[in-house]
Amino acid sequence: RKEVEQDPGPFNVPEGATVAFNCTYSNSASQSFFWYRQDCRKEPKLLMSVYSSGNEDGRFTAQLNRASQYISLLIRDSKLSDSATYLCVVNKNNDMRFGAGTRLTVKP
Amino acid sequence: SQTIHQWPATLVQPVGSPLSLECTVEGTSNPNLYWYRQAAGRGLQLLFYSVGIGQISSEVPQNLSASRPQDRQFILSSKKLLLSDSGFYLCAWKIGGGGGGLHFGNGTRLTVT
């Protein structure tokens, strides 16, 4: 089993749609969690950290479920500029592991 | 503010040639440093990470090595490149001992021919 697993997609959604991504992790001792965004042929950029209490940044909401070992990212009111690959990251003792990413395309 | 520099941006090397990629961080002390590789259309594979000078944790390979000669310098090397070493190499840093996320350099696109 992979340490961090994501549905590769692609997710093709119209502008204004709400879309959700999930990510599961195998190590129950994992300590911190993040979502990154990667545009084609560019480096990943930190989107947001993920907390058990849930956290929101504008149209983006992230959630952690430690009992079920998954994290989620919800994007509301999708924009064309949200088109990218979304990567989840799991950290245990400075060992930062990435999921393979979920490709999102937002269409007009 | 902190910045990370990674070079070169692109590199074309023949099979069997050596490799040296360098990454430096400014504006912070004792960062954790990381090397990742991303093959075309694939996810990021952790290659090495370091929590201090001379401390290297190796995840994978084979014919690659890493060194941290100074606090904010991380070097990825190979004595003889393989075709399978082609990919997008990314250096990243995070606050040492902190729970924050990674911050990436612009990456080096390596093609081994």
Side-chain angles (χ1 to χ4, degrees), chain A residues 3 32 34 36 38 40-46 49 87 89 91-101, chain B residues 32 34 36 38 42-44 46 49 51 59 88 90 94 97-107 109:
Chain A
E3 295 185 44
S32 54
F34 308 89
Y36 278 73
Q38 186 176 26
C40 189
R41 299 180 69 81
K42 296 286 190 180
E43 75 277 15
K45 292 191 189 279
L46 179 63
S49 301
L87 306 162
V89 182
N91 172 40
K92 179 178 180 298
N93 295 334
N94 297 307
D95 186 329
M96 307 279 283
R97 300 285 173 152
F98 280 73
Chain B
N32 291 350
Y34 298 78
Y36 288 87
Q38 187 173 35
R42 308 290 294 273
L44 275 71
L46 178 61
Y49 69 95
V51 298
E59 288 303 312
F88 190 34
L90 290 153
K94 70 183 289 289
L102 292 169
H103 305 278
F104 284 88
N106 291 337
R109 202 161 297 279

Side-chain angles (χ1 to χ4, degrees), chain B residues 39-92:
Chain B
R42 308 290 294 273
L44 275 71
Q45 179 188 31
L46 178 61
L47 300 176
F48 302 95
Y49 69 95
S50 171
V51 298
I53 295 175
Q55 300 178 61
I56 309 291
S57 295
S58 172
E59 288 303 312
V60 191
Q62 302 122 20
N63 66 318
L64 296 174
S65 61
S67 62
R68 184 170 178 173
Q70 300 181 47
D71 181 43
R72 291 169 290 175
Q73 183 185 28
F74 206 22
I75 298 172
L76 181 70
S77 303
S78 175
K79 292 182 180 177
K80 287 187 177 183
L81 285 168
L82 307 172
L83 285 174
S84 58
D85 290 325
S86 292
F88 190 34
Y89 287 80
L90 290 153
C91 181

Side-chain angles (χ1 to χ4, degrees), chain A residues 33 35 47-58 60-64 72-74 76:
Chain A
F33 309 86
W35 282 101
L47 186 61
M48 57 200 305
S49 301
V50 189
Y51 306 110
S52 297
S53 56
N55 47 303
E56 189 174 308
D57 183 1
F60 297 82
T61 301
Q63 190 78 44
L64 165 65
S72 63
L73 177 68
L74 182 77
R76 291 182 299 278

